[in-house]
Amino acid sequence: MGAIAAGIAMAGAAIGGGVGDGIVISKMLEGMSRQPELSGQLRTNMFIGVGLVEAMPIIAFVVALLVMNK
């Protein structure tokens, strides 16, 4: 039962991370197309946002390992 719960947790985190990355990157590209002179600042903010979004699947992986080892 723990393995099923861990798999569901990881699937949700992977889907959420992928969707979150897509939204962050698409909005950054939209901002770059509107104001090309801010591309450096937008790129920096995008990398920070992607890092924060990607933290969630990593945390979910750790939680999934803890659930499996119970």
Side-chain angles (χ1 to χ4, degrees):
M1 202 60 142
I4 294 172
I8 291 171
M10 281 307 302
I15 291 170
V19 169
D21 283 345
I23 291 171
V24 168
I25 292 171
S26 71
K27 294 299 179 180
M28 187 273 305
L29 289 174
E30 183 180 324
M32 280 178 64
S33 66
R34 290 183 183 203
Q35 294 183 345
E37 65 274 3
L38 292 177
S39 65
Q41 184 179 2
L42 288 172
R43 189 174 298 117
T44 301
N45 289 340
M46 182 213 49
F47 284 130
I48 292 170
V50 167
L52 291 173
V53 168
E54 285 298 320
M56 194 62 193
I58 294 169
I59 293 169
F61 176 70
V62 172
V63 170
L65 287 178
L66 291 173
V67 167
M68 282 181 50
N69 290 330
K70 263 191 168 175

